[in-house]
Amino acid sequence: MATKIGIIGKGNVGGALQRGLARAGHEVRAVGKDPAAVRQAAVWAEVVFLAVPFGALDDTLRTLGDAVNGKVVVDVTNALTADMQLALGFTTSGAEELQKKAPQARVVKAFNTVFAQHMDQGQVKGEKLSLLVASDDAGGRERVLGLGRDLGFDPVDAGPLRNSRWLESLGYLNILLGYVQKLGPDIGFRLVR
């Protein structure tokens, strides 16, 4: 069954998710920064993807207001500072802080360990990537695991939302490997099981 998906953010991540989820047969609305459009997309959607920079989350949440109450909200951000360091870690995560700020939303952490150019297919060089999905909401976690499967990923249940601390660290490692260690963005993680 098609899911109504609102994507907040039309950059590389939002664009890739829009292409892939539409190709998979879902109804997708992607919006940029226009506050009215952001709110309308969230009201309409069953699942809301936050594909904005980590530093823009608070403003985005203010715009969304209660439109995300009861909705699955997928946090795809990397919790990084402006100088590309981890903003949080070890005792909390960006996703856990997001859940505190939107307590009636069903926050799910996913997609942040994958470079944007691979989000629409879930693969690198013909190999399925693992999509690690963490949430305290079992139904929301299952829904996002299913969306990942629809995109072509090998979805992996990463447990409760507190495990986002490690997903965010892994996302940071992916960025370091790709750009600091110069392996490039045609890399990705795969859990062999």
Side-chain angles (χ1 to χ4, degrees), residues 106-119:
R106 301 162 59 200
V107 174
V108 178
K109 185 74 179 187
F111 294 96
N112 71 300
T113 61
V114 178
F115 284 118
Q117 66 196 53
H118 307 299
M119 287 183 186

Side-chain angles (χ1 to χ4, degrees), residues 105-153:
R106 301 162 59 200
V107 174
V108 178
K109 185 74 179 187
F111 294 96
N112 71 300
T113 61
V114 178
F115 284 118
Q117 66 196 53
H118 307 299
M119 287 183 186
D120 63 340
Q121 304 262 336
Q123 299 181 21
V124 172
K125 299 177 182 176
E127 293 285 330
K128 279 189 177 193
L129 295 172
S130 293
L131 178 68
L132 303 166
V133 180
S135 179
D136 289 338
D137 185 278
R141 193 169 55 235
E142 273 307 310
R143 190 159 215 181
V144 176
L145 287 165
L147 292 173
R149 195 172 298 108
D150 293 347
L151 285 167
F153 285 93

Side-chain angles (χ1 to χ4, degrees), residues 43-82:
V43 166
W44 168 83
E46 300 167 71
V47 176
V48 178
F49 279 77
L50 299 180
V52 299
F54 178 70
L57 275 177
D58 285 345
D59 288 340
T60 302
L61 285 175
R62 275 190 289 280
T63 300
L64 290 168
D66 63 359
V68 294
N69 288 356
K71 308 259 176 118
V72 173
V73 175
V74 185
D75 176 15
V76 303
T77 66
N78 280 304
L80 301 176
T81 62

Side-chain angles (χ1 to χ4, degrees), residues 161-181:
L161 196 60
R162 71 175 176 269
N163 290 347
S164 296
R165 300 166 192 180
W166 316 122
L167 272 61
E168 291 175 5
S169 295
L170 187 61
Y172 183 51
L173 177 62
N174 193 43
I175 292 166
L176 292 176
L177 290 173
Y179 294 110
V180 177
Q181 296 305 118

